[in-house]
Amino acid sequence: MKKELEKAIKGFVSTSPSNQLKDSDERYFAEPMIGYADINDPLFSEYKTIVGDFHLTPVEFLEAEYGEAYPRSGTVVSWILPVSLAVRRSNRKGKKIPSFEWSHTRYFGELFNESLRKYVVALLRTRGYRTLAPVLAAQWKRVESPEAGHASTWSERHAAYAAGLGTFSLSDGLITRKGIAHRAGSVITELVIEPTARPYQGPYDYCLKYNSNTCGACIKRCPAGAITEKGHDKEACHQYMRQVIYPKVNEKYGVTIPGCGLCQTKVPCESRIPANTPVSR
Ligand code: SF4
Ligand code: SF4
């Protein structure tokens, strides 16, 4: 079933007409990376301390969806959709606002990601495995917390970290083998698949600022001053988007959530684990 699942996910990404920039042959996303985590991995409980007590475990999602007879074993299937080269290139030129292609990838590409979640849920259910997509479940909601700032009850990036797909960065992204410029998605299923080994020791292993106190390119790329040596100021980032980017591009580009991603392009971690990272790849 693992092979069938991976073939289906990759096939959906490579053939779906929804994964295509408007009036262009270019795709929002290149071939995905897929990883697996045990639903009972203790890391998911630790996220209640690391992210916040509002963050739900896979088991809590399953219990809420299926009641007392919820599956006791299963897998978090996580994927990374790397932003295509054409889209990344377009955003490298930006200094204050995202490119048209980047904003469309953030908005329409995420709608595609949503359709991928639904597709994977339907596929696994058809094969007899109870499955849900956490961000489409009733329990998913946005949370404002004094410690975590803008957060939610399920973080796709944290699911991807648990599934061996990458580590966090100074700019709050997840650096994967295919870089930091991506969208992530996941489903929780009772299908048991062997977990993917996490080829890292710590949560920031792939970021040059943390592993060798070098780089800092994302600090310079951010027009809002939202990234410093201390990390990413979520509130400053959101304010810049609301006050500067939304008024400038939403109507012009025809989107309501344009993203920004300047800190994810024209940086050493854009499309790979940065060179000289002294940890395993
Ligand atoms: S640009 Fe450099 S400092 Fe910023 S997240 Fe990437 S590797 Fe880390
Ligand atoms: S931190 Fe926010 S405002 Fe700054 S470059 Fe990144 S996405 Fe844009």
Side-chain angles (χ1 to χ4, degrees):
M1 188 65 223
K2 180 183 169 188
K3 267 192 183 163
E4 182 188 347
L5 179 63
E6 294 191 351
K7 193 174 168 205
I9 292 173
K10 287 178 182 174
F12 193 83
V13 173
S14 66
T15 61
S16 171
S18 310
N19 181 21
Q20 192 137 4
L21 277 163
K22 280 191 175 17
D23 306 322
S24 164
D25 292 337
E26 301 289 354
R27 294 189 167 272
Y28 299 125
F29 304 113
E31 184 177 285
M33 297 167 60
I34 303 163
Y36 307 96
D38 188 323
I39 59 166
N40 294 305
D41 189 320
L43 193 52
F44 289 113
S45 299
E46 289 169 29
Y47 285 164
K48 286 190 178 290
T49 310
I50 297 165
V51 183
D53 58 5
F54 51 83
H55 195 271
L56 301 178
T57 66
V59 169
E60 286 172 322
F61 272 102
L62 287 168
E63 194 172 3
E65 182 89 4
Y66 295 108
E68 276 189 13
Y70 72 89
R72 266 44 178 189
S73 56
T75 307
V76 174
V77 180
S78 170
W79 59 82
I80 295 292
L81 298 174
V83 174
S84 70
L85 177 61
V87 174
R88 286 187 279 110
R89 267 191 185 140
S90 72
N91 214 46
R92 287 177 198 160
K93 296 175 197 149
K95 290 196 165 66
K96 302 277 185 201
I97 57 168
S99 69
F100 173 88
E101 291 86 348
W102 184 274
S103 290
H104 272 231
T105 301
R106 170 62 187 84
Y107 187 74
F108 296 108
E110 183 52 30
L111 293 181
F112 165 76
N113 195 14
E114 196 170 306
S115 68
L116 175 59
R117 292 182 184 100
K118 289 177 183 164
Y119 171 76
V120 176
V121 168
L123 173 72
L124 288 167
R125 285 183 180 173
T126 303
R127 297 290 183 272
Y129 302 102
R130 287 173 288 176
T131 303
L132 61 88
V135 305
L136 302 178
Q139 289 69 38
W140 188 87
K141 56 178 193 269
R142 293 192 188 283
V143 176
E144 294 293 326
S145 105
E147 296 79 30
H150 305 279
S152 64
T153 52
W154 180 258
S155 160
E156 297 288 25
R157 286 174 307 124
H158 284 78
Y161 176 84
L165 291 171
T167 77
F168 295 92
S169 75
L170 187 71
S171 57
D172 246 356
L174 191 84
I175 302 175
T176 72
R177 277 188 291 104
K178 294 191 179 178
I180 196 170
H182 59 75
R183 302 291 304 166
S186 66
V187 300
I188 302 168
T189 178
E190 69 177 319
L191 169 66
V192 175
I193 299 176
E194 189 182 341
T196 308
R198 291 195 278 270
Y200 30 79
Q201 277 83 53
Y204 296 100
D205 279 7
Y206 295 163
C207 176
L208 293 170
K209 180 49 75 178
Y210 287 103
N211 66 36
S212 52
N213 199 24
T214 58
C215 190
C218 53
I219 298 175
K220 295 184 196 123
R221 276 289 278 159
C222 177
I227 306 172
T228 65
E229 302 271 335
K230 291 184 184 153
H232 177 233
D233 180 339
K234 282 189 196 176
E235 187 51 35
C237 173
H238 277 252
Q239 286 302 332
Y240 184 77
M241 290 210 207
R242 275 194 226 103
Q243 292 170 5
V244 179
I245 296 180
Y246 285 20
K248 277 195 176 149
V249 313
N250 281 17
E251 198 178 336
K252 189 172 157 198
Y253 290 174
V255 298
T256 51
I257 305 172
C260 169
L262 295 175
C263 57
Q264 298 185 357
T265 46
K266 213 179 174 185
V267 291
C269 57
E270 178 188 299
S271 61
R272 62 193 171 97
I273 298 169
N276 305 322
T277 299
V279 290
S280 64
R281 305 287 152 91

